[in-house]
Amino acid sequence: MRSVTPLSPPGEDAVCASAQIRGPRSAWANRRELPLAGSATDSIEDMADRRPPAGNLPADLTSFVGRAGEVSQVRRLFSQSRLVTLTGVGGVGKSRLGLRVAQQLSRVFPDGVWLVELSSLQDGSLLPQVIGQALGLVDQAGDPVEALSGFLSRRTLLVVVDNCEHLVPACQQLLTVLLRSAPGLRVLATSRELLRIPGEQVCEVVPLEVPELGGQVSHEALGNYPGVALFARRAVEVRPAFAVTRANADAVARVCGFSEGMPLFLELAAAQLRWLSVEQLAARMEDRFHLLSGRSSAVVARHQSLRAAVEWSFTLCSEAERQVWIRASVFAGRFDLDAAEAVCADAGMRAGEVLDALAGLIDKSVLVSAERDGDLRYWMLDSLRLYGLEQLRAGQDTAEPDLRRRHRDHYLALARRFRADWFGPRQVEWSRRMRADLPELRAALSFSLSAPAEAPLALRLASTLNFFWLGCGAAREGSLWLDRALAASPAPSRDRARALAVHCRIFTLRGLHAEAAAPARECLELARRLGDPALLAEALTGRGMNLMYTGDLAAAIPLLDEGIGLAAALPQIPIALATATLCRSAAALAEGDIALADALSAQCRALCRAAGDRSYLNLVLATSIPPVLMLGDVARATAYGRESLSDSAALGDTLGITATLEVLAWVAGADGDHRRAARLLGAADQQAWVSGGNPFRGVEFGAGHDQCETAARAALGDDRFATEFQAGADLTLGQAIAYAQGGGAATEPERAPAAQRTGVDRPQLTKRELEIAQLIAEGLTNKQIAQSLVISRRTAEGHVENILAKLGLNTRTQLASWILAQRNPDGL
C-alpha cells in the first residue's frame, strides 16, 4: 500500500451566492477546493442501509473468489481518501475486485454506485461524456466538465472507473476537478499505472495465492488456496462433474502453480478441460512453459507468466480461430454477429466459418458473449484484445488499415440504415441499438480522422448519424465530431453541406443561435450551388430557423416558406416537410398569428403519426403547447406535454425532455399552480444545463418563460419561488419526469430527527461515538458525518441518537458543549 500527500488545506461546502438559485452551476462557481481525506469506516453490517442500492453494477458477481483481505483494505483506504486506485498487472483481477468492493458499498451511497468502463474508449477528450453517460446524463452542455461537476456536486455516490491506464493524463485531469468540486463523490479506479492525483490511496492487487511449483501440498490443504478455488469453480462451469480429488490433487496443484495465481491464466486453463483431463492439462503446460530463472522481479515474472498463458491459448486455437481473434481485436467494445462477419470474413474465410470460430473462441474463454433484449453481443477481455492487436501489427494477418476500413464501412452502412428507417415506428429499437454500438461508432470516426484520405468518410458518417445526435441525447458529442470532421474536410461537397445542416440543427436545439449562424449560411450557399432539392430544403429551413431565433422574422419567413414548398415535393422524405412546417409554425407564433401556428402544428402532428414517428413528434407536441395555451385549452396542452415527455424518456432524448419540462411549467402557471410551475422551471433549468440546452428559450418562446416566472414570483414571493425552483433543480432526471407526469412531492421528505431520549448515566463513549461526537462539535450535520465516514445516513443518525441517550442530553448544542468541556491537552 502506498499513498500520496493529501490535498491541503481542507475545504468546505459552498453556498450559492445568488438568491436566484440556478442549480449546480452556482455550486460549481463558488465551491472551494475540497480535501480527499476521509475517516474510518464501519463494518459492512453497520454501513448497510435498508435502502435498495442504486447504480449500474452488473447484477451477478457471485463468481468472485477470495480477496476478503483486499476488500477490507480498500474499504479502510476510503476512510483516508475519497480516491482509491487498484493497481497491478493485466489479468490480476483489478476489475473484479473493484466490482466486489463496489457491490459491498452499494447501500452506503444514497445516489448509487456507478461503473464507468474505459477499455473501449481511446479518445481522452470524450472522458467527461463517457462518465456522464454511465451516470445517466447522456450528454452534457457546452463545457461537459463543468456540467458533470455541477451534477455531482449535490450527490453522494461512488464511481468505479475501470481500466484507466491508457488514459492516465485525461483521468488525472478530470478526476482532480470532480473530486474537488463534489464533496460527496468517491472514486475507485483500476489502472496498471498510478493516477498520481494528490490524496490518492493505492492498493496493489497481487495474484491469488496458489501452491508453489514443486512443493508438496496435501489434498485437504489445496482447498485453502484462493487460486485453486477459482480454478475449480471455472472447471465445474465447463465440466460439471469436475472435482478436486486425492487422485488429481497433484495435477491441480501443478496447473495452479504454473499460473502464479493470475486469475486470467487460471480461467484460460480451466477452459481447456472441455477436451483434456486435468492431468493432461498439467503435462501440456509443463511442456509449454519452462520455469523462469533469474527473474528481475515478481512483477516481471507475472507479466511473463500471463503472456505465456495467452500465447499458449493462441497456439491451441485453430487457424480460423486465430484469424478471428486477431481480426476481432479492432473492435473497441461489444459487437454482434453481423459486425463480426463484416470485419472478419473475406475471400479466405466465409461468414459461416466466422461463426464457427466465434463459438470456438467462446469455448476457450477468449471471447465472452451475452444476450440482452434479443441482441447477442461478443467481446474480449482487454488483455486478450491487446494481444490480438499485437499479432495484427506484427503482420500475422490482414493489414490493420484494411480491417479498420472494413470496420468503418460496416458501421457507416449501419448508420445509413438507421437514418433511412428512423422516421418511423422502430425508433426505440434503433435508439437502443445505436447506443450499444456507440463505442464502435467512435472508433470508426477516429480512424476516419486519422488520415487525410479517410477524412471525407468521417464527414459522411458524422452527418449520417444526425438523428442519433439529435434524437438520442448525444447532441454535445455530435457537435464535437462534426467540428473535427468539418475541419478535416473543408472542400465543398454534398457531405459537407449535410454536415453543416446537422451542425446548425444541433446548435439551434441547444439554444446556441449565434454559433448556428455560420454553418447555416455556408450550408445554404453550398446547397444552392449543388442544386440538390432535398439538401436545399434542409438548408432553407436551417437558415430560416436561425434567423427566426435571432429575431429577424422578416428574413426568416420567406426562406421557411420556400423550404416548405421544396419539402412538399419530396414525399419520400416526410421529416423534411415536418421540420419545415414546424419551424413555420414557430414563426407564426412569433408573428402573433395563433390560429396559423396551431393549424401548422396540427399538420406536423399528422405527418409524424402517419409515419409512426415518436422522436420528432415529441418536439412537435411540445411546440404545440404555446399556441394551445394562448387559445385557453389547458387540458389539451397538458395531454400534449405528458405524451411528449413519455416518448422522450423512452428514447433517451434529453433535449426533448428539457423542452417538455419547460412548457409543462407554463401549463401549470396558466392553470394557477404557481408552486408546481416554479418547480418545473427549476427542473427544466437543471436538465438544460445537463443535457445541452433548452429549445424553448429562444426569441419566439422566451416570452412564455418570462411570463411564467414573473407570475410565479408574484404569487409566491421571491424567497418561496427560489425555494421551489431549487426543489425542482434538485430532482434527478427520473424524479423530474415522474413529477411532471403528475406525481406529487418533488423531493423526498427529510428524515425524522433522531429521538431525543434522556438518561441518568453518562457512560464512556466508544471510539466511534467519540469520533462522531467531535464531528458534531465541529458543526457537521448527520448527512455530512455520513459522507465523511463512508457510512449510511441512517447509521450516522443511529450513532447520534445513542450518544445523546448515553449522555442524557437533548440537543446537539448541549453535546457540543460537553465535548468542549471534556477536552484535555491530550485530546479526546
Side-chain angles (χ1 to χ4, degrees):
M1 178 178 62
R2 302 181 297 276
S3 64
V4 183
T5 304
L7 284 174
S8 179
E12 58 187 48
D13 286 349
V15 295
C16 295
S18 170
Q20 295 187 23
I21 301 171
R22 306 297 290 178
R25 282 169 285 181
S26 298
W28 165 254
N30 297 288
R31 191 170 300 283
R32 301 179 189 175
E33 288 190 356
L34 291 152
L36 299 189
S39 189
T41 63
D42 287 342
S43 67
I44 289 294
E45 292 76 18
D46 190 34
M47 291 160 62
D49 200 316
R50 296 184 185 275
R51 180 190 299 108
N56 65 344
L57 292 182
D60 183 13
L61 294 176
T62 57
S63 61
F64 188 83
V65 174
R67 305 286 196 192
E70 289 95 328
V71 170
S72 297
Q73 180 188 9
V74 174
R75 287 180 44 232
R76 285 195 301 272
L77 291 176
F78 268 126
S79 72
Q80 302 168 34
S81 177
R82 292 188 292 117
L83 168 65
V84 176
T85 301
L86 306 180
T87 64
V89 299
V92 79
K94 301 183 295 295
S95 298
R96 193 161 293 172
L97 173 59
L99 289 174
R100 183 62 165 184
V101 172
Q103 182 190 50
Q104 290 198 357
L105 294 177
S106 61
R107 294 182 184 274
V108 175
F109 295 92
D111 295 309
V113 176
W114 302 87
L115 173 64
V116 182
E117 297 180 290
L118 300 185
S119 58
S120 66
L121 180 65
Q122 301 303 314
D123 187 342
S125 67
L126 291 174
L127 184 59
Q129 282 89 341
V130 170
I131 293 179
Q133 288 161 8
L135 293 170
L137 303 190
V138 183
D139 201 24
Q140 291 90 50
D143 182 347
V145 176
E146 189 170 348
L148 187 56
S149 299
F151 174 82
L152 292 170
S153 66
R154 295 172 180 270
R155 289 167 170 81
T156 301
L157 72 171
L158 172 67
V159 177
V160 182
V161 188
D162 193 25
N163 291 305
C164 300
E165 55 273 351
H166 61 299
L167 297 172
V168 167
C171 289
Q172 182 185 66
Q173 182 178 7
L174 179 60
L175 292 179
T176 298
V177 171
L178 297 182
L179 286 162
R180 284 176 172 168
S181 63
L185 171 65
R186 279 174 168 78
V187 175
L188 178 59
T190 74
S191 176
R192 299 181 194 182
E193 297 181 33
L194 298 182
L195 300 184
R196 303 194 183 281
I197 295 173
E200 176 182 30
Q201 291 289 323
V202 179
C203 175
E204 184 173 352
V205 183
V206 299
L208 297 170
E209 189 177 0
V210 292
E212 186 177 349
L213 271 173
Q216 297 297 315
V217 183
S218 69
H219 164 248
E220 292 79 8
L222 275 180
N224 297 324
Y225 290 96
V228 174
L230 176 62
F231 175 78
R233 183 172 293 186
R234 293 294 179 267
V236 168
E237 290 173 4
V238 300
R239 183 185 288 181
F242 178 84
V244 180
T245 66
R246 292 184 186 280
N248 67 15
D250 181 63
V252 169
R254 282 187 289 141
V255 169
C256 294
F258 276 121
S259 77
E260 296 195 343
M262 297 293 287
L264 180 56
F265 186 125
L266 290 164
E267 298 196 13
L268 291 172
Q272 303 304 319
L273 294 181
R274 283 189 171 89
W275 307 279
L276 302 172
S277 70
V278 70
E279 291 82 5
Q280 290 172 322
L281 178 61
R284 292 195 177 205
M285 291 177 81
E286 200 155 10
D287 290 341
R288 176 69 186 171
F289 305 131
H290 62 277
L291 294 179
L292 302 170
S293 59
R295 297 166 176 165
S296 59
S297 71
V299 172
V300 171
R302 290 168 199 153
H303 275 296
Q304 291 172 320
S305 175
L306 179 62
R307 181 172 182 82
V310 174
E311 289 177 344
W312 177 57
S313 290
F314 189 73
T315 61
L316 292 176
C317 291
S318 68
E319 183 61 31
E321 289 167 351
R322 291 178 203 166
Q323 283 184 309
V324 170
W325 181 343
I326 290 171
R327 295 175 185 184
S329 67
V330 301
F331 288 104
R334 303 185 179 204
F335 53 94
D336 62 11
L337 179 59
D338 287 344
E341 290 176 342
V343 171
C344 299
D346 59 14
M349 179 182 289
R350 299 189 308 274
E353 293 175 299
V354 172
L355 178 58
D356 291 340
L358 291 173
L361 291 172
I362 291 170
D363 285 343
K364 293 178 176 65
S365 293
V366 174
L367 275 179
V368 183
S369 66
E371 183 178 349
R372 182 178 180 182
D373 298 324
D375 183 20
L376 182 64
R377 297 272 166 159
Y378 308 90
W379 70 96
M380 269 187 276
L381 295 178
D382 206 39
S383 298
L384 303 181
R385 186 180 64 83
L386 292 174
Y387 180 81
L389 275 177
E390 183 181 311
Q391 297 302 303
L392 176 63
R393 289 165 182 168
Q396 297 299 312
D397 196 78
T398 308
E400 182 179 1
D402 292 340
L403 283 176
R404 294 206 177 273
R405 286 188 193 95
R406 289 188 210 171
H407 176 278
R408 188 266 320 283
D409 292 346
H410 170 75
Y411 286 100
L412 177 57
L414 175 67
R416 285 170 169 159
R417 295 198 304 275
F418 159 72
R419 177 175 178 170
D421 198 39
W422 176 253
F423 194 69
R426 289 176 288 276
Q427 288 173 336
V428 172
E429 176 187 336
W430 271 115
S431 176
R432 186 183 302 119
R433 168 68 189 271
M434 299 305 280
R435 287 180 194 283
D437 283 323
L438 183 54
E440 306 307 327
L441 294 168
R442 288 171 177 152
L445 285 163
S446 293
F447 167 70
S448 299
L449 290 169
S450 66
E454 307 291 344
L457 287 172
L459 201 61
R460 184 171 301 169
L461 178 54
S463 61
T464 303
L465 290 169
N466 60 335
F467 296 129
F468 178 72
W469 309 133
L470 291 163
C472 299
R476 171 65 180 81
E477 183 168 344
S479 288
L480 185 151
W481 288 116
L482 287 162
D483 272 338
R484 293 178 179 178
L486 286 164
S489 188
S493 67
R494 281 179 171 78
D495 287 329
R496 181 171 179 83
R498 290 191 183 97
L500 289 164
V502 178
H503 214 194
C504 168
R505 181 89 171 128
I506 290 174
F507 280 137
T508 300
L509 281 180
R510 293 174 61 202
L512 304 175
H513 307 303
E515 291 85 346
R521 281 194 300 268
E522 184 184 348
C523 179
L524 182 56
E525 293 168 2
L526 191 51
R528 288 198 186 280
R529 251 192 291 164
L530 294 169
D532 182 325
L535 190 55
L536 182 55
E538 190 173 7
L540 286 164
T541 300
R543 180 59 176 149
M545 193 164 40
N546 179 247
L547 290 168
M548 175 184 66
Y549 270 99
T550 53
D552 193 350
L553 273 174
I557 289 175
L559 295 179
L560 292 173
D561 287 338
E562 184 182 355
I564 289 176
L566 281 172
L570 302 167
Q572 74 276 19
I573 315 177
I575 193 171
L577 180 58
T579 303
T581 304
L582 184 64
C583 292
R584 186 62 180 88
S585 171
L589 183 67
E591 283 186 300
D593 192 339
I594 311 304
L596 177 59
D598 189 38
L600 290 171
S601 295
Q603 291 179 27
C604 288
R605 294 194 299 274
L607 283 167
C608 293
R609 294 191 194 281
D613 166 83
R614 296 172 67 182
S615 175
Y616 200 69
L617 177 62
N618 299 333
L619 183 60
V620 173
L621 287 165
T623 307
S624 300
I625 290 175
V628 168
L629 279 181
M630 292 178 184
L631 294 172
D633 194 341
V634 172
R636 186 156 61 108
T638 301
Y640 288 162
R642 290 181 176 173
E643 182 183 356
S644 173
L645 197 59
S646 177
D647 284 350
S648 292
L651 293 166
D653 179 4
T654 52
L655 283 171
I657 292 168
T658 300
T660 309
L661 290 171
E662 172 75 32
V663 291
L664 279 173
W666 305 357
V667 173
D671 202 31
D673 192 344
H674 297 293
R675 174 177 174 271
R676 186 175 186 82
R679 290 196 177 198
L680 287 170
L681 286 175
D685 186 76
Q686 166 66 7
Q687 294 309 318
W689 180 240
V690 169
S691 67
N694 185 343
F696 283 83
R697 296 300 298 273
V699 170
E700 78 284 16
F701 292 119
H705 175 93
D706 294 342
Q707 290 167 10
C708 179
E709 180 173 341
T710 298
R713 286 184 180 278
L716 301 174
D718 285 346
D719 290 345
R720 178 77 186 281
F721 175 84
T723 299
E724 299 297 342
F725 184 96
Q726 190 60 51
D730 286 341
L731 296 177
T732 65
L733 180 60
Q735 289 170 336
I737 292 169
Y739 182 67
Q741 289 283 31
T747 56
E748 277 189 32
E750 289 295 317
R751 293 181 189 269
Q756 297 177 352
R757 297 173 291 175
T758 61
V760 295
D761 295 326
R762 290 192 176 179
Q764 286 294 107
L765 300 182
T766 66
K767 182 178 179 181
R768 166 63 79 194
E769 288 168 343
L770 283 170
E771 186 175 27
I772 291 175
Q774 290 182 86
L775 294 175
I776 291 172
E778 293 170 10
L780 272 68
T781 65
N782 288 348
K783 180 179 179 181
Q784 290 167 330
I785 290 170
Q787 292 172 347
S788 176
L789 302 183
V790 198
I791 60 176
S792 70
R793 181 170 171 174
R794 181 173 297 177
T795 299
E797 289 170 347
H799 279 307
V800 173
E801 183 177 345
N802 290 338
I803 293 166
L804 292 171
K806 276 187 177 183
L807 299 176
L809 302 175
N810 295 315
T811 68
R812 299 166 76 93
T813 302
Q814 290 175 336
L815 176 57
S817 299
W818 183 84
I819 289 289
L820 293 173
Q822 300 302 310
R823 283 180 174 163
N824 56 50
D826 296 326
L828 281 171

